[in-house]
Each structure stands twice: as C-alpha cells, then as structure tokens.
Amino acid sequence: MLITMPSQRQVLSIITIALIALLTVTTLQHFTGNRGLDDIVLGPLHDSLPQVQKQRPIYKKPPTYAPPPIKDNFPLLQTTTKLPPIPPWNVPKRNLHRSYDLPLAPPLLIGFTRAWPLLLQAVTSYITAGWPASQIYVIENTGVQQANARNQLTLQNPFYLNHTQLKTLGVNIIQTPALLSFAQLQNFYHSLTYQHNWPYFFWSHMDVLAFSLENGGDGLPRYNEDGYKTIYELSLAALKEARETDPRWGIRFFAYDHLALVNPEAYEDVGGWDTMIPYYNTDCDMHTRLTMRGWSLKDARAGLITDVGSSLADLRVLYRVEEVKPDFCDVNPPPPEKGGKTRFAGAETMNASSSTHQSPKRDADEKPDPEIAKFRALEETAHAMVRYKNSGTRERYVWQMGQRGGQGEPFYYNAQGLQDAIEVMIETGRRIYRMKWGHKDCDLIDGAKLKLGDQWMVEKDYFAPLGD
Ligand SMILES: *[C@@H]1O[C@H](CO)[C@@H](O)[C@H](O)[C@H]1NC(C)=O
Ligand SMILES: *[C@@H]1O[C@H](CO)[C@@H](O)[C@H](O)[C@H]1NC(C)=O
C-alpha cells in the first residue's frame, strides 16, 4: 500500500491540533467582536486583551496635535440684530408659492448635531440666495436638552448652537427630544408633516453652501435679466411640476442630495426609514424601497449647492458687503507638516486664486459688472472649499472634530468619543443592511434582483468567512 495508515498517536495529535485551532478562532472572534478577517489578521490582538498592570486606570496617550480653537464666522451677529440687506434680486416675493399653485409655502429643514460655523454658513447662504428665512427650520438634534436655548454652552463645545443668533436671522428652531441617528432624524422630519399638515418638505444637509444661479449659465438669465429665478423659485417650480405631472412622485434631488424635496405620502407608503440602519446605507435602503413601490426619485436643478468642510471667514460676504473679501478658513486645520510650518492655521484664511472652475463668461468686450464679479469670486471660493475638502490629504469629515471643548458644561460628551461611537454605529448599520438584504451594495434591484418582500428573507449573495 502506498498510503500508510496513521498510527493511533498521529490521529491523537491531529485531533489535538484541530481542537487548538478551533479554540483559537473562537477566542479571536470573542475578543474582536467578530470583526472582518482583515482586522483579525492585521490588528494587534494584544490591544484587545486585558493587560496585567498594577495601577488602574491606564489613560490613553493625549493626542500629539490639537487644532487651535475655532473662530466665530459671523461676528456681526454678536453685536447687532440688524443684518445687512440680502441682495435685492434674491429678495423672495411675498407668497411666491401661490404663483406655483402650492397650497403651502414649503418648509426647508436643516438638521444640526455639531459644527455650528457650518450650520450658520448653510443657513445664511440659503437666506442670501433667496430662501425665505421664515420657512427655514433648523432642527436642533444635539441631545443637550435646553442647554443651548439657555446659552449654557460655549463655542468650542461641538454641540454649541446659538438660538439668539438663529432668531436674528429669522429662522425657526425645532428641538428633537433626544439625540437621534440620521435615520431617526429623517423619521422625525416625517413626523413633523403630520403635526404641521405639511404636504411636502425640503431638507438639506448642514454642511452646504447654497447659491442662486446669479451668473446664469446653461441659457438661464442672469440676476439682472428678465426671467431670473432664485434657488427658491426654481425649487417651487420643481415642486409644482412634480405635483402636476407625476402622481407617484417620491423625492426630487438637487445637486446629489444636498437638497431634497420629499413627498410624505411616499415615506408613509414604505413605512419610513429603517432606524436599525442608523447612518450609511440607510439611504440605499430607503430609496430602493421607494423605487420598489413605484415612487419616482428624480434629479432636478435649482441652484448651485456645494458641500464644504470649511467656512467662509466672514459670512457678511454672502450679503455682498463691499469691504469683505471671500476667504475661507478650516474649522479644524490639519497638524503642521514636518519641517514646522502649519499649512493652514486656524486663524489664517485661504482664497480661491488657484481655482480652475470656469464660471460662464460672456463677450470679452462686455462691460464688467461688479455684482457678477463678486458673485464669481464667491462661486470660485465655494469650489476651492470643495476641492480643499476633497483633497486627499484630509479625511472628508474631520471638520466634525474641530470643536473639542465644553468640559464641565451641561450634557458634556467627549468629542473624540462621540466620533468613535458613531463610526461603530455606522459599521453596525452596514452589517444590518447586508443581513437585511443578503447583499452588500446599493444595487438591490438591478444587481441583486430583489423585491420589496425580500427583506430579511434571502440568503446572502456574498462571501462572508465569519458568518455575517
Ligand atoms: C449667542 O449670541 C448672542 C448674540 O447674538 C450673545 O449675546 C450670546 O452670548 C451668545 N450665546 C452664547 C452662549 O455664546
Ligand atoms: C491668496 O491669494 C494670493 C494672491 O492674491 C496668493 O499669493 C496667496 O498664496 C493665496 N493664499 C492661499 C492660501 O491660497
């Protein structure tokens, strides 16, 4: 015989090795909380194992770099309740919605959890672009109860929001009863439609800069030409069109989803957002379910809306105040580069001189229009801010870490801890999504060939060595 039978002793050692291997894998899964295989192979296991030390607790090493304190980007609001006038061509006409056969002036909801300078910038940009302030609702989703309303937090606290200043701007504030995840916040928006009898609503992210198309382009009239329409008016037109031409209109997206228009009837029909998928992928889940039920999701155009991670240095620039130039500053600058020099210090401002964006231009011999020049400078700065946010040197969402203060204030929560915890919930949400659909990606209909009734009913269609 070519193959020799193993001896009893050899059999025993094989069984022992197998048992040890199984025990090791089980232990690994226990200590890593069943993370991906990469984490197990690459992650230093001893980090998760209890260390034998005499003195407890053992504190984490403090960060090697702390960004400078963030700066107020609208100091005028501290000293006055009288704001500069918004550009006259963007002043919304009274009851403009009636010209679009709309039963209600549509509300615009902007959710806020942290990074006040960015919220203030987004709100101010919508107002100066022509969205009526009285129709803007800032949804304070900070979890700090009445602390902001009572002026108890300071600017360096991530959850800081100034009610007085928002009231000066003329916008409304609605507070969530507790800190909600993204999906819960969306369902909270939906709940407001029952409370206020809203047949539709717009919502926008808080890290955007919105402009009306004051410089025309694509054959649209400029700010001083006949037929010019602000971002607000074009949004009303998109809403009118959806209502009149599409009985199954679900959502209209403007500039990806920086601004979105929602039909609450469609949300109700699919049972709202899945709060078990708290952050990323919850949009795939929701939007696909709407599509599966035959609600339309379409893109529309209303203005220029960019997502940014920095703030204009002085928001008066949005009112075109003469002496203010459009600079921007990073709310959370990166550590100095090796060699000592800080690339962008918190106090330092940046400008758009290196911009490659081409704003529509007309004849070369056309006489220069100072308002167009100002608008172009703003637009270029906005594009420079987007490039800065996307420049590979920085993580996309680090601006959320600019404020690290607030120790000792009511409802204080460690800024880094909040970030880390949200990242874990994001990851868990992704896992729940793939458990729910048996599929990892967003292409549930075309890719995975799934129907609405398939939720939680199908086996996974991907390789998962550790069983999730
Ligand atoms: C909020 O802004 C007002 C001025 O608009 C200021 O007086 C007040 O101190 C600010 N509150 C906080 C807590 O910074
Ligand atoms: C700002 O613009 C000036 C020229 O106008 C340029 O010299 C300077 O480097 C720019 N700053 C930044 C940070 O881009």
Side-chain angles (χ1 to χ4, degrees):
M1 262 193 11
L2 281 172
I3 305 163
T4 53
M5 290 299 290
S7 70
Q8 200 180 357
R9 201 180 186 166
Q10 280 168 324
V11 170
L12 265 179
S13 18
I14 288 165
I15 290 171
T16 314
I17 289 165
L19 276 175
I20 290 171
L22 187 68
L23 196 68
T24 313
V25 167
T26 321
T27 315
L28 272 169
Q29 285 189 1
H30 175 76
F31 280 112
T32 56
N34 210 356
R35 280 182 289 167
L37 190 62
D38 284 355
D39 293 339
I40 292 174
V41 175
L42 305 172
L45 179 64
H46 58 263
D47 279 358
S48 350
L49 292 171
Q51 288 168 17
V52 188
Q53 292 270 345
K54 284 200 192 103
Q55 287 225 310
R56 298 213 164 261
I58 301 153
Y59 288 95
K60 297 173 189 166
K61 288 194 189 73
T64 49
Y65 168 76
I70 65 154
K71 287 179 48 165
D72 183 358
N73 56 349
F74 205 168
L76 182 70
L77 276 180
Q78 287 285 352
T79 53
T80 183
T81 52
K82 206 174 167 302
L83 294 164
I86 73 169
W89 49 93
N90 284 343
V91 173
K93 291 184 203 79
R94 242 179 95 75
N95 289 324
L96 186 58
H97 65 280
R98 296 212 183 123
S99 323
Y100 289 85
D101 303 318
L102 299 170
L104 178 104
L108 166 60
L109 313 183
I110 304 179
F112 170 82
T113 293
R114 51 187 169 160
W116 163 251
L118 296 191
L119 173 79
L120 193 54
Q121 169 171 262
V123 168
T124 310
S125 75
Y126 272 110
I127 294 172
T128 52
W131 207 287
S134 61
Q135 283 162 240
I136 297 177
Y137 293 75
V138 169
I139 313 295
E140 183 191 346
N141 177 41
T142 55
V144 302
Q145 301 294 337
Q146 297 309 311
N148 276 318
R150 294 180 188 154
N151 277 312
Q152 289 173 316
L153 307 189
T154 55
L155 183 60
Q156 301 309 320
N157 187 317
F159 300 123
Y160 172 85
L161 171 147
N162 193 311
H163 283 240
T164 317
Q165 297 189 6
L166 288 178
K167 279 174 195 151
T168 300
L169 285 167
V171 303
N172 311 278
I173 306 170
I174 294 180
Q175 295 167 289
T176 58
L179 178 60
L180 306 177
S181 70
F182 175 83
Q184 289 170 328
L185 184 64
Q186 296 298 321
N187 283 347
F188 180 76
Y189 292 174
H190 186 209
S191 79
L192 295 173
T193 68
Y194 301 106
Q195 199 181 323
H196 298 280
N197 279 316
W198 289 338
Y200 36 71
F201 67 89
F202 286 85
W203 73 274
S204 177
H205 292 268
M206 56 149 290
D207 57 344
V208 300
L209 246 178
F211 298 99
S212 289
L213 300 167
E214 298 179 29
N215 194 19
D218 294 344
L220 291 171
R222 275 183 172 174
Y223 80 99
N224 55 358
E225 293 172 347
D226 271 355
Y228 167 73
K229 290 188 174 63
T230 64
I231 187 172
Y232 175 61
E233 191 158 5
L234 288 172
S235 297
L236 296 180
L239 174 53
K240 177 182 163 78
E241 200 205 295
R243 282 164 54 90
E244 290 179 359
T245 65
D246 184 358
R248 293 292 282 183
W249 78 273
I251 305 184
R252 294 294 178 267
F253 296 109
F254 304 86
Y256 306 106
D257 71 342
H258 297 162
L259 172 69
L261 165 63
V262 171
N263 181 357
E265 208 188 314
Y267 274 25
E268 183 175 285
D269 183 54
V270 299
W273 292 70
D274 186 343
T275 55
M276 297 300 158
I277 310 171
Y279 296 94
Y280 291 76
N281 278 25
T282 201
D283 53 344
C284 291
D285 174 84
M286 179 62 168
H287 297 157
T288 309
R289 284 186 291 119
L290 288 166
T291 307
M292 285 168 166
R293 285 284 294 172
W295 296 99
S296 71
L297 280 63
K298 289 186 191 162
D299 290 319
R301 190 158 189 227
L304 173 72
I305 314 166
T306 57
D307 67 322
V308 295
S310 47
S311 171
L312 292 162
D314 186 338
L315 293 179
R316 283 182 305 158
V317 75
L318 293 170
Y319 294 86
R320 319 302 148 85
V321 170
E322 208 58 58
E323 66 273 17
V324 191
K325 295 282 163 281
D327 289 331
F328 67 102
C329 59
D330 192 347
V331 177
N332 177 33
E337 284 172 349
K338 286 204 182 79
K341 198 169 175 293
T342 302
R343 222 172 108 239
F344 296 126
E348 213 178 302
T349 54
M350 287 158 268
N351 53 40
S353 54
S354 63
S355 177
T356 52
H357 175 78
Q358 288 300 311
S359 174
K361 291 198 174 76
R362 308 252 170 125
D363 297 340
D365 52 15
E366 166 188 54
K367 65 173 182 323
D369 176 336
E371 293 304 341
I372 288 292
K374 275 194 217 168
F375 181 76
R376 273 201 193 129
L378 262 177
E379 196 186 22
E380 305 263 295
T381 308
H383 286 287
M385 288 161 82
V386 172
R387 278 198 307 280
Y388 180 67
K389 178 173 182 173
N390 295 338
S391 64
T393 55
R394 314 219 46 205
E395 284 189 31
R396 225 169 116 76
Y397 291 107
V398 282
W399 58 263
Q400 291 167 330
M401 291 299 301
Q403 296 151 295
R404 292 160 204 241
Q407 287 85 351
E409 294 171 10
F411 299 90
Y412 170 73
Y413 201 96
N414 180 284
Q416 185 65 51
L418 178 72
Q419 181 63 26
D420 292 349
I422 287 178
E423 277 165 23
V424 172
M425 289 202 284
I426 288 172
E427 221 25 74
T428 304
R430 287 202 171 105
R431 185 173 167 201
I432 294 171
Y433 174 88
R434 37 184 205 266
M435 288 165 73
K436 178 176 182 180
W437 294 103
H439 190 69
K440 286 181 157 176
D441 304 316
C442 208
D443 58 340
L444 299 176
I445 299 173
D446 296 336
K449 312 278 179 234
L450 293 167
K451 309 180 302 295
L452 194 62
D454 294 337
Q455 304 168 58
W456 294 106
M457 301 293 279
V458 294
E459 294 289 349
K460 55 180 171 284
D461 66 1
Y462 55 93
F463 176 63
L466 294 174
D468 74 342

